[in-house]
Amino acid sequence: MARERRGALLELLQRPGNARCADCGAPDPDWASHTLGVFICLSCSGIHRNIPQVSKVKSVRLDTWEEAQVEFMASHGNDAARATYEAKVPSFYYRPTFSDCQLLREQWIRAKYERKEFIHPEKQEPYSAGYREGLLWKRGRDNGQFLSRKFVLTEREGALKYFNKNDAKEPKAVLKIEHLNATFQPAKVGHPHGLQITYLKDNSTRNLFVYHEDGKEMADWFNALRAARFHYLQVAFPGASDADLVPKLSRNYLKEGYMEKTGPKQTEGFRKRWFTMDDRRLMYFKDPLPVSPQDAFARGEVFIGSKEGGYRVLAQLPPGTQGPRWAHGITIVTPDRKFLFACETEAEQREWVAAFQGVMDRPMLPQEYAVEARFKHKP
Ligand code: ZN
């Protein structure tokens, strides 16, 4: 009997809807919630285990299953659960994948099954109302300590503002939604809910590092920022479809890490710098986190165009290059000049080359030519 039940379960895993984790899309899930009727991956099963009042999990391959539980799985499954628990997910809401941080995956699972936010849209107000205010811990620029700051997001003003004093009338900074990006960076911020917010000020990229102890609060802030970007873009590009706009709401960095670089004359010697690849912009900083106000600015930026535009990447340095301590060289060839880098390990070199190549293989969008032109005129 037990063998037949296992066979029936393994057969259910062959159904197309069950071939990927119901929550993060990871391939070949072999765990299941037998109270919700979904097949999930090992990693998501750990999150389900923390909400026992709605979800009870078992291994498809290792645990003992009762007949009624197998029948429940057969009559439900991932497609049916999606139709119920994801019935009203707003377009702008971030659906995490298996490569996203624990916070995003956990809050997605809790939003779906515990809070049932996508069955009852009135529960979506914290991120869909167009206005949000509250306190966040913000990393101070001078000493790196986190300080409690009031933040206000207002779609009507198209801005995220923060205040150094709770009763202050004038905000310390006004970040335009138009130029804003938010990406979770737990390791960099040093907190599992750490969020990096980037924005443009006087044409250069600035960063804020914030967190909230409560996971739901932090995920609500993130989705409120995405909602604000979505509504801004809907007005700015009236003909665009939701599918066109959703990828523009927030973006993760393609790659980050240390490399050594040399200056434009290539005689200055190589210096170790922290690099962030944000779409087509390769920025470098003295350190991953700014330790003084001047360090909050990128020291420099390189625009990475497309191969059609004459950009190339080579996993080597020109013969005879002097100076790098690190052995694994990279040359980026742009229409203007060559940029030379060195990585500490071969794995790092491979990842950076893949990140550059991926961007170069992508044809340029019309609006990206204007950005490229601005870079070309820089000294
Ligand atoms: Zn999963």
Side-chain angles (χ1 to χ4, degrees):
M1 262 322 266
R3 187 174 299 171
E4 280 169 32
R5 281 181 220 142
R6 179 105 50 222
L9 279 170
L10 292 172
E11 217 157 276
L12 289 177
L13 279 178
Q14 301 303 312
R15 288 188 191 168
N18 298 338
R20 289 180 167 273
C21 172
D23 297 327
C24 75
D28 305 320
D30 57 2
W31 285 73
S33 165
H34 60 86
T35 52
L36 295 168
V38 290
F39 292 94
I40 52 180
C41 71
L42 173 66
S43 169
C44 290
S45 79
I47 297 170
H48 279 250
R49 218 181 275 278
N50 290 334
I51 38 174
Q53 61 281 18
V54 291
S55 186
K56 295 202 168 26
V57 297
K58 277 188 174 188
S59 163
V60 169
R61 293 171 203 281
L62 304 173
D63 286 320
T64 312
W65 286 74
E66 290 164 23
E67 190 65 43
Q69 291 170 339
V70 176
E71 281 168 17
F72 185 79
M73 295 306 297
S75 62
H76 290 75
N78 293 5
D79 284 340
R82 201 165 290 130
T84 305
Y85 295 103
E86 298 180 21
K88 290 171 180 159
V89 182
S91 311
F92 60 78
Y93 195 94
Y94 187 76
R95 294 164 176 264
T97 69
F98 48 91
S99 58
D100 279 305
C101 65
Q102 170 82 10
L103 168 81
L104 280 173
R105 290 184 300 115
E106 174 172 346
Q107 290 305 319
W108 166 237
I109 288 169
R110 287 186 183 272
K112 271 166 69 169
Y113 307 115
E114 187 183 38
R115 300 191 289 266
K116 299 187 172 58
E117 289 174 20
F118 313 121
I119 298 176
H120 308 293
E122 68 276 12
K123 295 189 177 177
Q124 297 169 11
E125 210 188 305
Y127 44 86
S128 65
Y131 183 88
R132 183 176 169 83
E133 69 170 72
L135 298 175
L136 291 171
W137 292 101
K138 177 190 164 293
R139 192 176 190 275
R141 218 173 263 143
D142 295 333
N143 55 11
Q145 278 185 345
F146 282 87
L147 305 161
S148 180
R149 291 288 180 254
K150 185 172 93 169
F151 280 77
V152 174
L153 173 67
T154 148
E155 286 190 12
R156 195 172 50 80
E157 294 175 37
L160 174 69
K161 305 186 277 191
Y162 76 89
F163 299 80
N164 270 356
K165 292 218 171 65
N166 240 339
D167 53 359
K169 292 211 166 54
E170 290 301 314
K172 174 77 173 125
V174 179
L175 288 55
K176 280 192 174 163
I177 285 167
E178 179 183 359
H179 300 299
L180 186 144
N181 185 43
T183 168
F184 280 99
Q185 296 282 343
K188 204 198 280 185
V189 180
H191 190 281
H193 304 163
L195 187 73
Q196 178 168 5
I197 299 173
T198 59
Y199 60 106
L200 278 185
K201 193 183 177 191
D202 307 327
N203 253 330
S204 57
T205 305
R206 307 295 303 265
N207 295 292
L208 291 182
F209 299 93
V210 298
Y211 72 86
H212 193 291
E213 295 95 334
D214 184 88
K216 178 183 185 297
E217 284 286 318
M218 199 65 245
D220 284 349
W221 270 109
F222 180 64
N223 280 300
L225 292 171
R226 286 176 56 90
R229 293 259 313 147
F230 186 60
H231 297 139
Y232 165 78
L233 291 169
Q234 279 182 319
V235 174
F237 303 99
S241 69
D242 286 8
D244 290 333
L245 299 182
V246 166
K248 297 185 171 66
L249 303 186
S250 64
R251 57 188 187 277
N252 294 328
Y253 297 140
L254 299 177
K255 167 98 184 123
E256 282 197 297
Y258 283 111
M259 288 193 288
E260 293 181 327
K261 69 168 280 293
T262 182
K265 295 195 204 86
Q266 294 161 16
T267 53
E268 298 92 329
F270 279 76
R271 288 208 179 86
K272 181 177 155 184
R273 293 285 180 256
W274 177 265
F275 286 81
T276 295
M277 177 87 175
D278 182 5
D279 198 34
R280 288 195 187 272
R281 299 171 87 141
L282 177 69
M283 296 172 276
Y284 59 92
F285 302 84
K286 192 158 181 287
D287 292 296
L289 288 166
V291 289
S292 63
Q294 58 270 31
D295 284 341
F297 293 97
R299 293 273 171 119
E301 299 190 30
V302 181
F303 181 84
I304 311 289
S306 68
K307 59 185 180 207
E308 290 82 4
Y311 290 80
R312 278 187 303 141
V313 57
L314 307 166
Q316 63 186 56
L317 292 172
T321 302
Q322 301 285 315
R325 285 174 304 133
W326 288 346
H328 306 280
I330 295 177
T331 304
I332 292 182
V333 183
T334 77
D336 295 337
R337 56 167 278 200
K338 286 178 180 165
F339 291 89
L340 310 185
F341 306 104
C343 304
E344 191 169 19
T345 65
E346 203 181 330
E348 277 288 295
Q349 179 197 41
R350 204 165 37 237
E351 285 179 22
W352 277 112
V353 168
F356 296 136
Q357 195 64 61
V359 166
M360 290 176 187
D361 286 346
R362 206 171 69 213
M364 294 260 285
L365 299 170
Q367 62 267 31
E368 290 173 333
Y369 286 101
V371 182
E372 182 189 36
R374 230 175 56 218
F375 276 84
K376 278 188 173 168
H377 297 301
K378 276 191 180 177

